[in-house]
Amino acid sequence: MDITREQIDDLNAIVKVAIKKEDYSDKVDKILTDYRKTANIPGFRKGHVPMGLVKKQYGKAVLVDEVNKLLQDSLNKYLTEEKLDVLGNPLPKAQDNLDWDSENFSFEFELGLAPAFDVDLKTKKAITHYQIIADDKMIDEQVDRIAKQYGKLISQDEATQESEITGVFKNEEKEIENRVTFTLDKIKGKRNLGKFVGAKAGDTLELKTKSLFEDDHDLINYLKVDHDQAHDLDIDVTFTIDEINKREAAELNQELFDKLFGKDAVTSEKEMRAKIKEDAEKQFAQQADQKLLNDITENLVENTKFDLPDVFLKKWIQATGENNLSDEEASEEYSKSEKGLRYQLIEGKIINDNNLQVSYDELKDFAKKYVSMQMAQFGQTDPEDEVLENISARVLSNQEEAKRLSEQVMSEKLVNLYKEKANLKTKEVTYENFVKEVYG
């Protein structure tokens, strides 16, 4: 067998594979001999079918199968040994005149090669790394929510602005019928609020959904409509009141602290506020890191310049797609995927240049933290290490889960690398201002 490469340019090459009879004949003969032993052909005893008849009936199919196997194995081995970084997969060139009755065969494959480039993390313009703080206003609101959540419900004869209302929203045309509970501070505008204040259990209110709630997204839960419907939804609904309650806030005492944080972990309101601040800022740090990762990704894709084998990649999209694509459709698909491909190459370059790897021990530790956080959501705040070991082992036995967690660990490593080497400027903001600045 002879494999040669013709370099068209830095990004494109042709690989030629020449296969001779001696490369495949022993394998084909062995398979046909095995076929002869088991073949059931009328007029012949099993194992006594003439080899000529076996070759006539099965020879061509076996030959084609073995040559294709040999071709793929040898091509893959060649690409590995030559350390060729190919994009997509090798594309076989069309051979309309291929003669399977010949003893020797020649095949050609087009290759699209990954470009050589450098990545500079020290961008000219500094990228903002947000440090999100939990301010007193946020902590006050969280303490108030906790006190109300763990407080007592006191039944009321009629609704006031501080009331918690339970009832059923209905709209027959849209097939809406949903029982919900909400506080009246979610209602938007004096006119809407006036319909609730003074109402009693059993009353049915006629309402319009447009501008009914301070946040349109509340309609998703309260009316069971999807996200797109919730925005600018303008329909008539009725709301029949079942219950009216006022929630009396719980006392901030040791009993409540133990319920929230575990026995004697927190012993005063001051410590409670400090714990709320600490926990909130841990979550904010994750959001800030994700924002940093997204911003650096965008910056690197925008400013790291290199060419791609565009023509090859469009042909590869046509060849591997589920549907037959025209040249125009393939170009459109390529345009959609080009940015992602560029970042994959950039990220791979950063990982290789900085020798970033995810070890099994790192992955296992990350899985245990992930499981621990999941359990904490269900009140299991201090699971035994053996329990975490067993559950995390089951999680990692799922290949898709293991891949997802491994990608998260690598993202953490990249963020840490960017914090160390990228051109960053730190900006301290409250969470409220972070949301306004980042998401509008």
Side-chain angles (χ1 to χ4, degrees):
M1 185 185 306
D2 186 28
I3 302 180
T4 58
R5 182 171 82 249
E6 177 187 352
Q7 199 73 32
I8 306 301
D9 54 39
D10 289 342
L11 301 175
N12 296 275
I14 301 290
V15 169
K16 300 178 181 180
V17 183
I19 297 178
K20 299 178 181 179
K21 182 178 180 180
E22 56 263 30
D23 297 323
Y24 62 81
S25 59
D26 289 347
K27 186 70 173 176
V28 170
D29 288 344
K30 183 180 184 307
I31 292 173
L32 291 175
T33 299
D34 292 339
Y35 273 21
R36 182 172 182 249
K37 294 175 183 177
T38 58
N40 279 318
I41 297 180
F44 297 94
R45 284 184 300 147
K46 196 171 184 177
H48 292 272
V49 179
M51 181 56 80
L53 188 57
V54 172
K55 287 184 177 180
K56 184 177 180 181
Q57 188 158 347
Y58 300 110
K60 182 67 66 67
V62 172
L63 170 67
V64 171
D65 189 44
E66 288 306 309
V67 168
N68 279 324
K69 286 180 183 177
L70 181 61
L71 181 61
Q72 289 302 320
D73 290 346
S74 57
L75 182 60
N76 291 336
K77 184 179 179 182
Y78 174 80
L79 296 178
T80 301
E81 290 177 346
E82 294 293 311
K83 297 180 180 178
L84 294 177
D85 191 0
V86 299
L87 301 179
N89 292 310
L91 284 180
K93 296 189 73 171
Q95 290 180 278
D96 297 330
N97 59 348
L98 182 62
D99 181 10
W100 286 104
D101 290 324
S102 174
E103 293 184 342
N104 301 321
F105 307 98
S106 181
F107 302 91
E108 294 185 359
F109 293 85
E110 296 179 65
L111 302 183
L113 304 176
F117 60 92
D118 293 317
V119 179
D120 185 6
L121 296 179
K122 288 287 185 183
T123 54
K124 292 181 181 179
K125 184 178 179 180
I127 296 172
T128 300
H129 181 213
Y130 291 94
Q131 183 179 348
I132 309 171
I133 61 169
D135 59 353
D136 289 339
K137 178 186 174 185
M138 169 173 277
I139 296 171
D140 289 343
E141 290 172 351
Q142 180 67 0
V143 170
D144 186 53
R145 276 195 295 269
I146 290 171
K148 287 181 178 179
Q149 180 183 348
Y150 286 87
K152 296 178 183 178
L153 281 180
I154 300 172
S155 179
Q156 293 180 292
D157 293 330
E158 62 179 46
T160 67
Q161 292 188 30
E162 292 76 33
S163 293
E164 183 174 294
I165 306 289
T166 298
V168 179
F169 279 110
K170 282 187 180 181
N171 178 294
E172 290 187 7
E173 183 183 349
K174 297 290 185 180
E175 298 182 346
I176 293 171
E177 184 171 350
N178 195 43
R179 190 172 192 269
V180 296
T181 298
F182 57 89
T183 52
L184 290 187
D185 60 355
K186 292 188 173 291
I187 298 298
K188 184 176 182 179
K190 292 181 180 179
R191 185 176 178 184
N192 287 325
L193 185 60
K195 294 184 179 182
F196 285 89
V197 173
K200 298 179 180 181
D203 288 353
T204 296
L205 311 180
E206 294 184 357
L207 306 164
K208 286 187 175 294
T209 57
K210 187 172 179 62
S211 299
L212 177 58
F213 292 103
E214 292 285 355
D215 186 350
D216 284 344
H217 290 96
D218 285 336
L219 294 171
I220 298 172
N221 295 321
Y222 295 159
L223 301 186
K224 294 301 180 188
V225 296
D226 62 34
H227 183 273
D228 292 337
Q229 286 179 292
H231 287 282
D232 300 320
L233 182 67
D234 188 7
I235 61 173
D236 295 323
V237 292
T238 61
F239 182 75
T240 301
I241 300 174
D242 291 339
E243 296 178 25
I244 304 171
N245 297 294
K246 182 178 180 180
R247 192 172 286 274
E248 183 179 274
E251 185 180 346
L252 301 181
N253 56 23
Q254 193 60 47
E255 181 182 357
L256 178 61
F257 301 152
D258 289 347
K259 281 182 182 178
L260 294 171
F261 306 110
K263 181 69 172 171
D264 295 330
V266 166
T267 59
S268 67
E269 182 181 347
K270 182 180 179 180
E271 290 181 8
M272 174 187 179
R273 293 173 66 86
K275 187 75 168 75
I276 290 172
K277 180 178 176 67
E278 178 188 353
D279 290 346
E281 290 181 353
K282 281 181 181 177
Q283 293 182 12
F284 296 158
Q286 293 176 1
Q287 293 185 54
D289 284 351
Q290 186 60 55
K291 172 63 177 167
L292 176 64
L293 186 62
N294 293 343
D295 288 346
I296 291 183
T297 296
E298 290 289 332
N299 190 287
L300 289 173
V301 171
E302 182 69 26
N303 294 295
T304 306
K305 304 298 183 183
F306 53 82
D307 292 326
L308 290 170
D310 299 342
V311 174
F312 169 85
L313 289 170
K314 290 171 187 176
K315 288 173 67 175
W316 179 72
I317 288 172
Q318 282 182 301
T320 57
E322 292 182 5
N323 302 316
N324 292 325
L325 300 178
S326 65
D327 291 345
E328 184 178 347
E329 289 170 332
S331 294
E332 186 177 338
E333 286 297 313
Y334 175 68
S335 296
K336 292 178 183 177
S337 60
E338 182 183 359
K339 188 175 180 180
L341 174 58
R342 285 183 177 278
Y343 184 66
Q344 284 181 12
L345 292 171
I346 292 168
E347 185 183 77
K349 174 75 171 170
I350 293 169
I351 290 170
N352 287 332
D353 287 352
N354 294 278
N355 195 29
L356 300 182
Q357 299 175 354
V358 178
S359 69
Y360 180 74
D361 286 341
E362 288 174 320
L363 184 57
K364 187 173 71 171
D365 288 343
F366 187 84
K368 287 169 68 174
K369 290 178 185 176
Y370 168 76
V371 170
S372 182
M373 287 189 295
Q374 295 291 311
M375 294 177 72
Q377 292 180 8
F378 295 95
Q380 300 180 57
T381 57
D382 191 24
E384 295 181 1
D385 191 64
E386 185 179 354
V387 173
L388 290 177
E389 285 276 357
N390 291 336
I391 297 177
S392 60
R394 288 201 298 272
V395 170
L396 293 177
S397 67
N398 182 313
Q399 283 190 333
E400 289 187 6
E401 257 323 91
K403 180 182 177 184
R404 184 179 69 83
L405 295 178
S406 180
E407 288 172 350
Q408 290 184 27
V409 176
M410 182 55 73
S411 290
E412 284 189 0
K413 287 177 175 283
L414 286 168
V415 168
N416 290 334
L417 177 73
Y418 297 153
K419 288 178 182 178
E420 177 188 346
K421 294 190 175 182
N423 183 15
L424 305 180
K425 61 179 180 181
T426 301
K427 184 173 183 178
E428 186 176 282
V429 292
T430 64
Y431 183 71
E432 183 179 1
N433 288 336
F434 172 77
V435 171
K436 287 178 182 178
E437 188 168 325
V438 172
Y439 303 108

